[in-house]
Amino acid sequence: MTKYFLKKTAGTVPLLIGITLITFLVIHLAPGSAVDAKASFNPKMTAQAKAKLESLYGLDRPILVQYADWMGRLVRCDFGTSFVDGKPVTEKILQAAPVTLAINLGTLLLILVLGIPLGVYGAVRAGTLGDKVLTVVVFAGFSVPTFWLSLILMSFFGVRLGWLPISGLHSLFYDEMGTWQQYLDLGRHLILPIGVAAFTSVAGISRYVRSGMIQVLEKPYIRTARAKGLSRNRVIYGHALPNVFLPLITILGLSIPGLLGGSVIFETIFSVPGMGRLFFDSVFTRDYPVIMGILTLGACLTLLGNFLADIGYALADPRIRVGEHS
Amino acid sequence: MKAAIIWLGAILLAAVAAPFFLSSASQSMNLLSPLEAPSLHHWMGTDPLGRDLFFRILCGAQVSVGVGFAAVLIATVMGILIGTVAGYFGSWVDRILMSLTDAMLCFPVFFLILAVIAILGPGMIPIVVIIGATGWMGTARLIRAEILTLKHREFVLAARAFGASNRWILTRHLIPNALGPVIVHAILGVSAAILTETALSFLGIGVQPPTPSWGNILMDGKATLGSAWWMMLFPGLVIFLTVLSVNVLGEKISHQMRGSR
């Protein structure tokens, strides 16, 4: 197991370098720089002042030197300072990341809680009316534009009925509330973003569980379990489902980049001060250090997710950690 | 299934024909009738500038569907090239190309797209290019896997024994045989690309007004949230039905291909 663990860890290093190199090149080879963006707001800026700014930010040095410099600081968890307000990038990201992570973890949880039973139901009742209705609903969730669904729910529950808040994380009088009220308030703000995100991505999991279950239910060991006289639920949940769970770990790992990317849309629509929103704002001001920081962090989170999925898979399935030599 | 095909046919017709007949009608403002509710005269109502929403949505089809198809074309060609080269030549070429693919797969694609659009500036061409350039990885992996199993098959060995060149083998034997799963993947890619374009235009960094795209029409709808339901309902509904139809079609085709094997 240790050997497998080490091998997987070593495997992520070249990927990490590849990721940072791609980001760095994409952003720095582009025409126009942060200094240009600043200069365009200030018509009095001279070429001299521009050059001074460029050397201050280190933008006048060869690109590989800039990359090496950036990597050197990255190893020490230093992403530099924002071009816009001079705050450390790490501080800005740390402020925003917990919000995004909390929302995404909540979404993942909801996807599992909804997707697995739906998938099992679809497989056990394959071909019935219930299964067909479910397939249609799941397909709809898969095809609906998230920003549109958010808008509709916002205007219905938020504006028309006034049941739910439509933006931000806290109400106006948040600071004066008791602890429980604060949690309740936060929860009410999160219902719509998490609900929409989960509805639109539940399709992947439930369809996967459904097709996996249908295959597993035809296996001889399921027939044996049935023949033994086990109850229906015991066969489905005790014998069949665990075998579907395994690949599910990988699917969850793979769904992370999609969720993170989606957070840009949700956080912009619902005015949630998370990483997606920070990224969106930084893109407009060409705040390279922040863009680089979030891109790198996003890719690293994905890598971490895949890594954890690999390890989880190996823990659950001895064939992987012992038998595989590739 | 039939409904999906009919809907897609109508949308494609609108995409091809609407701009010829309606481009001026879709842009003509009438400030005397802003934000009118749907009526016999304006089937889907009017926007804040008094433009007819139905005409704008018809014209928007060209942009939104066109961007979707063009982006997927780029992604598929890139994917086929990279996957084929990696799978056929193997060894270090394969390792480098597949590491690149894996690294690209780690990025939250939407972040990458946003970053590049910030650099290139919003507009139709950058969007097509960037959606295409960030969408080839799945195709590359699919086609590589196909090539790996195909390249040791007898008909390829036979071609080689006859003295066929690599290029001949690739273009006449391997790629045509590996295309099946790629086509399904490409169809599903179109729906994803339409969603991405509309999302970008909705955020204000995609196709820029006054060129109508389903996304930027919906962006106008956000501004009138709560006061003009038609501004929000119709553009979104059209996106939804189009994406749904493409997905249904893709699913059906993939089902039949699996069945035929």
Side-chain angles (χ1 to χ4, degrees):
Chain A
M1 187 63 206
T2 322
K3 204 173 150 198
Y4 180 81
F5 183 82
L6 287 177
K7 207 169 77 187
K8 281 284 164 194
T9 317
T12 59
V13 174
L15 272 184
L16 211 57
I17 295 176
I19 288 166
T20 51
L21 202 59
I22 291 175
T23 340
F24 196 82
L25 290 180
V26 162
I27 291 182
H28 278 250
L29 289 178
S33 68
V35 177
D36 282 341
K38 270 195 172 168
S40 64
F41 288 119
N42 184 357
K44 284 182 191 159
M45 189 177 253
T46 60
Q48 250 174 336
K50 246 178 91 171
K52 218 172 180 178
L53 263 181
E54 274 180 359
S55 78
L56 179 69
Y57 290 140
L59 293 174
D60 54 347
R61 290 172 303 161
I63 191 158
L64 278 178
V65 176
Q66 288 188 43
Y67 174 70
D69 189 45
W70 183 76
M71 271 304 276
R73 280 183 284 132
L74 188 68
V75 176
R76 283 174 271 133
C77 277
D78 176 9
F79 287 100
T81 53
S82 161
F83 284 168
V84 172
D85 55 10
K87 280 190 198 158
V89 172
T90 319
E91 187 190 308
K92 288 184 97 162
I93 293 181
L94 279 184
Q95 243 171 24
V99 178
T100 304
L101 287 183
I103 291 181
N104 281 328
L105 282 181
T107 309
L108 265 183
L109 207 68
L110 197 60
I111 292 175
L112 285 180
V113 168
L114 288 176
I116 293 173
L118 286 180
V120 170
Y121 177 87
V124 175
R125 301 274 169 85
T128 63
L129 185 68
D131 174 42
K132 278 176 187 155
V133 170
L134 213 63
T135 308
V136 171
V137 172
V138 159
F139 238 91
F142 184 56
S143 309
V144 73
T146 49
F147 45 97
W148 179 58
L149 189 62
S150 307
L151 277 184
I152 293 215
L153 294 180
M154 258 164 94
S155 76
F156 191 67
F157 288 108
V159 182
R160 185 70 53 89
L161 297 176
W163 287 355
L164 293 170
I166 58 170
S167 75
L169 280 182
H170 307 302
S171 300
L172 220 47
F173 305 107
Y174 184 74
D175 292 331
E176 294 153 30
M177 293 177 184
T179 317
W180 284 112
Q181 274 179 310
Q182 283 189 344
Y183 280 129
L184 197 71
D185 186 54
L186 195 63
R188 275 162 47 89
H189 281 86
L190 288 179
I191 288 178
L192 280 184
I194 290 186
V196 175
F199 176 63
T200 49
S201 27
V202 87
I205 296 291
S206 78
R207 287 178 65 75
Y208 184 79
V209 170
R210 180 177 177 274
S211 64
M213 272 300 263
I214 287 180
Q215 280 176 18
V216 168
L217 285 175
E218 288 168 355
K219 291 270 160 72
Y221 56 80
I222 297 296
R223 208 183 313 138
T224 313
R226 283 217 180 103
K228 241 170 36 173
L230 292 182
S231 73
R232 191 185 158 83
N233 280 339
R234 190 73 198 282
V235 173
I236 292 173
Y237 295 101
H239 290 247
L241 195 55
N243 289 291
V244 180
F245 270 153
L246 265 181
L248 203 63
I249 303 176
T250 314
I251 303 250
L252 279 183
L254 287 175
S255 69
I256 294 177
L259 284 176
L260 279 178
S263 62
V264 174
I265 296 173
F266 289 112
E267 290 175 6
T268 312
I269 293 181
F270 290 103
S271 308
V272 174
M275 250 164 50
R277 184 79 191 286
L278 178 63
F279 190 77
F280 188 67
D281 293 342
S282 310
V283 158
F284 273 99
T285 46
R286 293 205 171 141
D287 199 346
Y288 294 155
V290 179
I291 297 177
M292 288 290 289
I294 296 182
L295 262 183
T296 316
L297 191 68
C300 289
L301 281 175
T302 310
L303 258 187
L304 184 72
N306 291 346
F307 180 70
L308 288 180
D310 276 345
I311 298 298
Y313 208 109
L315 280 177
D317 189 347
R319 282 173 306 184
I320 303 284
R321 56 175 188 259
V322 182
E324 202 185 58
H325 291 291
S326 63
Chain B
M1 180 66 192
K2 264 184 200 150
I5 290 179
I6 292 173
W7 176 264
L8 283 180
I11 290 293
L12 284 180
L13 185 71
V16 175
F20 286 114
F21 302 110
L22 297 170
S23 70
S24 64
S26 73
Q27 298 291 10
S28 77
M29 294 186 256
N30 184 355
L31 294 175
L32 293 177
S33 58
L35 289 181
E36 265 184 20
S39 62
L40 276 179
H41 190 55
H42 297 292
W43 290 1
M44 292 184 179
T46 60
D47 73 357
L49 297 175
R51 293 175 295 193
D52 187 280
L53 194 60
F54 181 58
F55 291 163
R56 285 186 70 72
I57 288 179
L58 284 184
C59 288
Q62 183 172 49
V63 173
S64 293
V65 175
V67 167
F69 273 104
V72 167
L73 190 69
I74 293 179
T76 306
V77 170
M78 275 182 77
I80 289 178
L81 273 178
I82 293 175
T84 311
V85 170
Y88 188 68
F89 293 104
S91 82
W92 61 270
V93 179
D94 184 33
R95 242 170 290 145
I96 288 181
L97 288 178
M98 281 302 114
S99 315
L100 180 71
T101 311
D102 288 344
M104 284 290 288
L105 276 173
C106 283
F107 284 105
V109 168
F110 208 73
F111 280 19
L112 207 55
I113 291 177
L114 275 185
V116 177
I117 283 185
I119 291 163
L120 298 180
M124 202 145 36
I125 306 286
I127 286 189
V128 169
V129 172
I130 187 63
I131 295 180
T134 51
W136 53 267
M137 292 86 76
T139 310
R141 282 188 152 188
L142 269 178
I143 202 142
R144 172 178 174 268
E146 289 287 316
I147 300 275
L148 281 181
T149 59
L150 286 173
K151 76 175 178 185
H152 298 298
R153 295 269 291 275
E154 287 82 356
F155 66 93
V156 178
L157 294 179
R160 183 162 300 139
F162 279 124
S165 65
N166 277 340
R167 201 177 124 188
W168 182 268
I169 293 176
L170 279 172
T171 56
R172 295 297 159 109
H173 295 286
L174 288 178
I175 295 180
N177 276 300
L179 272 185
V182 171
I183 290 170
V184 175
H185 194 76
I187 292 176
L188 295 176
V190 170
S191 69
I194 291 178
L195 278 182
T196 309
E197 183 276 324
T198 49
L200 289 171
S201 300
F202 173 74
L203 290 175
I205 47 180
V207 177
Q208 296 296 301
T211 307
S213 129
W214 292 341
N216 66 32
I217 298 174
L218 197 55
M219 174 174 71
D220 294 339
K222 191 190 175 193
T224 54
L225 184 70
S227 62
W229 54 268
W230 57 92
M231 282 288 296
M232 209 178 60
L233 182 71
F234 293 121
L237 202 62
V238 171
I239 301 172
F240 172 51
L241 289 177
T242 307
V243 171
L244 186 67
S245 304
V246 175
N247 282 341
V248 167
L249 197 67
E251 186 73 8
K252 200 80 184 176
I253 294 177
S254 103
H255 217 77
Q256 282 179 347
M257 284 173 87
R258 246 179 288 149
S260 71
R261 281 194 170 187

